[in-house]
Amino acid sequence: MKRKILLTLLGFFCLYGLVRVFFSDQPSEAVLGPSPFLGGNVLHHNAPDSVMVSAGRHYQLGKVGEFFLGKHYREVWAVPVKAKVFHMHEQKGGLQIEKLGGGMQTTSLTLTDSVGRLFALRSVDKDPIEVLPPFWRKTFVGSFVRDQISATNPYAALVVAPLAEAAGVFHPTPSLVYVLPSDQDFQQYSNQFGNKLFLMEEKFTTRASLTNKFGNATDLVETEEMLARHYRSSHHRIDQWAYARARLLDLLISDWDRHEGQWDWAEYQQNGETWYKPVPKDRDQALCKYDDGVIPWIATRRFAARKFSSFHPEFQNIFGLTINAAFLDARALPEVSLVDFKRLAREMQMALTDSVLRMAVRRFPPAVYQLVGDETYQNLKSRLKQLPQAAEEYYKVLAKEVAVVGSDERERFVVQRLSQGRTVVEVFRLGEKNINGTKIYSRTFFASETEKISLYGLGGDDFFDLRGHAVVGSYVYVFGGAGGDQVTDESTVEGWRKKTVVEDTDQGVKLVAGPETEAKLARAAAEVPSFVRFRKRE
């Protein structure tokens, strides 16, 4: 199978090499219309408030090139749009450079105002060449990867903001700005940022950015910090249903790139608990069209790079939309049921009325709306109608294997095997004399949906109690983690396979095994699979 995939990829890259002759030889920077103030080294004292500028005429191809590489949004990239000229000392009462940012594709600056709010200035055009190994960057492979930026809609983020507002999802509100050539306000970065089109939006990462829309939130934190707190103490809890709502919006707009670095979290204090609500950011991959050319169509098939999902009237690849978000989804959605997903999808259908959809697509610059406004509206309308079915498919992807994770505090995991393949999992905080306290987790699993349930105690002295009888049931894996844990298995599931698997050190667990128990005890903690709490992303 791997050999077939390799040969297929090699084949379309060779085909791409032949198609290279159809590339236009356009410059890579933004292309301006007539702008007399840009001549020579004239200072910008008389610069206009706005200019007409194209995001990327260099993506234009002939008909044959589009046939092989895709029509994508090449017309949208090429059409001139009106953008305000960015003046650093006038924006938001005056901004200063905080630091150079950007990932592997985006040129960006973090800016700060006088009260400490942070803003991101992110280039509309991207250069994804850094995702490739050095050997391939100067070959036709590098050219192909660069060209596929044309599959993204450079103005998609403008449309997402009103959709998120209506759906009850936190969001930044970006604006389109243009940086003048050799703008000296950018200091050592003037050549890097000059003569380019940018989206400017607020970064919700500090307490200074808490506006009225966040209600009584007390802070804003990044995903890594939120997860670290969440697993240290069960008193730090994720609003999983708010995250599920945000993820359904991702499905609607076909935003496949929702890894943990694409989120911030608003912090709330309530009855001794700290709750975290998601704040999505970076909508570079919303509304993409990847598969309308021969080569990218092959490249995005199920056997290749299927995560590059396209914005069609119908949902075509729900699994692909979950790939980049899988790590965070597994940690932020383990308690959300199918009923919850369907309810949230129906609520979103009611919130995103026809007038909301029309108003959202009108956020495109007028010239862009003329090209793709009605198509975008029709696609959103069609996908919204199908959202409950998409939510159910999304749930089924998540439900195949579920991790139920405790914290470094002491907890009791209670597993009840019931009829009809049901497995009820509940988690309680432990009080004095090991008496169950507050319930912090509850979900009923079905063997027809969930093959494996993994219980992770993490730190603390945890208890795992399994009981009940069932004809069929999901596998339950118990990972005690650090501390002295106790596992009591009184459950039974018919069939010759044992459905309870305990993995811990032989000194770290007191095991009361039953007929359903398979023990995999190691001598050292390093030999026991551990739960990855968070990933540090560059």
Side-chain angles (χ1 to χ4, degrees), residues 319-345:
F319 180 79
L321 287 168
T322 72
I323 292 174
N324 272 26
F327 183 89
L328 185 56
D329 281 358
R331 287 150 182 78
L333 292 172
E335 198 172 357
V336 183
S337 68
L338 177 58
V339 172
D340 293 328
F341 269 112
K342 287 185 173 181
R343 172 181 57 82
L344 291 168

Side-chain angles (χ1 to χ4, degrees), residues 348-530:
M348 190 166 292
Q349 285 180 319
M350 291 186 289
L352 299 183
T353 61
D354 194 71
S355 61
V356 169
L357 299 184
R358 291 186 181 278
M359 180 265 294
V361 297
R362 283 290 182 182
R363 290 290 305 276
F364 280 137
V368 174
Y369 179 83
Q370 291 297 320
L371 292 173
V372 297
D374 187 64
E375 176 189 356
T376 303
Y377 161 74
Q378 295 294 343
N379 284 4
L380 286 170
K381 184 176 180 179
S382 175
R383 291 171 74 92
L384 185 63
K385 185 176 181 180
Q386 303 165 49
L387 192 60
Q389 292 77 26
E392 181 173 358
E393 187 175 344
Y394 177 40
Y395 166 82
K396 289 179 179 178
V397 171
L398 298 171
K400 289 179 181 178
E401 294 188 7
V402 178
V404 180
V405 188
S407 71
D408 290 334
E409 298 172 338
R410 300 168 66 244
E411 285 109 13
R412 184 187 300 277
F413 294 72
V414 178
V415 178
Q416 184 76 27
R417 302 281 195 181
L418 299 174
S419 61
Q420 298 177 325
R422 294 173 296 158
T423 302
V424 177
V425 178
E426 298 174 311
V427 183
F428 300 86
R429 295 190 185 117
L430 280 181
E432 294 183 4
K433 298 182 181 179
N434 298 327
I435 295 175
N436 291 353
T438 303
K439 184 189 295 185
I440 56 175
Y441 181 92
S442 179
R443 178 172 167 183
T444 299
F445 296 91
F446 299 88
S448 58
E449 298 172 347
T450 304
E451 180 180 344
K452 179 180 179 181
I453 307 166
S454 296
L455 311 180
Y456 291 91
L458 301 184
D461 300 335
D462 301 305
F463 290 78
F464 299 84
D465 300 333
L466 297 92
R467 50 181 176 260
H469 171 78
V471 176
V472 294
S474 307
Y475 284 92
V476 176
Y477 280 68
V478 177
F479 302 92
D485 306 307
Q486 181 170 314
V487 180
T488 303
D489 184 13
E490 298 176 347
S491 67
T492 57
V493 181
E494 294 184 13
W496 62 275
R497 291 185 175 180
K498 296 183 177 182
K499 290 297 184 75
T500 302
V501 181
V502 179
E503 297 199 35
D504 208 327
T505 61
D506 51 10
Q507 299 297 316
V509 63
K510 179 180 178 182
L511 175 59
V512 181
E516 205 59 47
T517 311
E518 178 183 353
K520 296 182 179 180
L521 304 182
R523 293 185 178 182
E527 301 175 19
V528 181
S530 61

Side-chain angles (χ1 to χ4, degrees), residues 43-314:
L43 295 178
H44 302 133
H45 298 306
N46 299 317
D49 293 333
S50 60
V51 295
M52 295 299 292
V53 58
S54 298
R57 289 182 183 172
H58 51 284
Y59 293 119
Q60 289 180 304
L61 292 176
K63 294 296 184 182
V64 178
E66 288 185 354
F67 173 78
F68 284 102
L69 298 178
K71 184 177 180 181
H72 296 345
Y73 285 105
R74 298 182 194 276
E75 289 184 321
V76 171
W77 282 91
V79 69
V81 301
K82 187 176 182 179
K84 290 185 177 180
V85 174
F86 180 83
H87 297 290
M88 190 175 298
H89 296 299
E90 297 176 6
Q91 290 280 342
K92 308 296 181 181
L95 298 173
Q96 294 183 340
I97 296 174
E98 178 82 7
K99 64 178 180 178
L100 183 68
M104 286 185 157
Q105 301 185 32
T106 306
T107 300
S108 78
L109 273 181
T110 296
L111 308 172
T112 182
D113 69 3
S114 59
V115 297
R117 293 184 301 168
L118 298 180
F119 298 85
L121 195 65
R122 307 177 66 251
S123 60
V124 170
D125 201 3
K126 319 293 180 187
D127 187 355
I129 200 68
E130 294 294 327
V131 305
L132 294 175
F135 173 79
W136 293 105
R137 293 176 187 174
K138 295 183 179 181
T139 68
F140 62 84
V141 177
S143 298
F144 172 76
V145 171
R146 278 194 170 107
D147 175 74
Q148 291 307 295
I149 290 296
S150 62
T152 65
N153 186 320
Y155 310 107
L158 302 175
V159 173
V160 175
L163 295 176
E165 181 72 24
V169 176
F170 290 138
H171 62 91
T173 302
S175 58
L176 192 64
V177 298
Y178 169 76
V179 175
L180 294 169
S182 302
D183 187 333
Q184 295 308 306
D185 288 342
F186 284 80
Q187 303 169 23
Q188 69 268 34
Y189 306 119
S190 59
N191 290 333
Q192 189 174 352
F193 282 77
N195 194 25
K196 287 185 173 69
L197 197 58
F198 292 86
L199 286 173
M200 180 181 169
E201 63 185 32
E202 187 164 357
K203 297 180 68 172
F204 298 117
T205 54
T206 66
R207 191 171 298 166
S209 295
L210 288 174
T211 58
N212 291 336
K213 69 180 178 182
F214 289 104
N216 60 348
T218 57
D219 204 354
L220 289 156
V221 298
E222 296 181 341
T223 299
E224 181 180 325
E225 177 62 24
M226 182 276 293
L227 289 176
R229 296 178 187 179
H230 175 61
Y231 292 124
R232 279 198 300 266
S233 170
S234 64
H235 291 275
H236 288 262
R237 308 180 70 174
I238 301 171
D239 188 336
Q240 299 183 38
W241 297 268
Y243 180 70
R245 181 184 297 110
R247 291 291 288 125
L248 290 181
L249 179 62
D250 296 339
L251 297 190
L252 178 67
I253 61 178
S254 194
D255 191 349
W256 57 266
D257 191 23
R258 304 309 301 159
H259 60 75
E260 55 270 29
Q262 305 285 52
W263 304 83
D264 293 313
W265 301 82
E267 177 184 314
Y268 296 82
Q269 307 298 325
Q270 181 179 350
N271 300 326
E273 309 280 306
T274 301
W275 287 86
Y276 297 92
K277 295 180 181 292
V279 186
K281 58 183 179 181
D282 298 354
R283 292 299 189 177
D284 295 337
Q285 302 301 329
L287 314 182
C288 291
K289 293 194 297 188
Y290 282 103
D291 58 358
D292 59 350
V294 173
I295 296 175
W297 183 88
I298 296 171
T300 55
R301 294 306 89 197
R302 291 177 180 267
F303 57 79
R306 65 184 298 188
K307 71 179 182 179
F308 295 100
S309 300
S310 292
F311 180 64
H312 291 297
E314 296 81 28

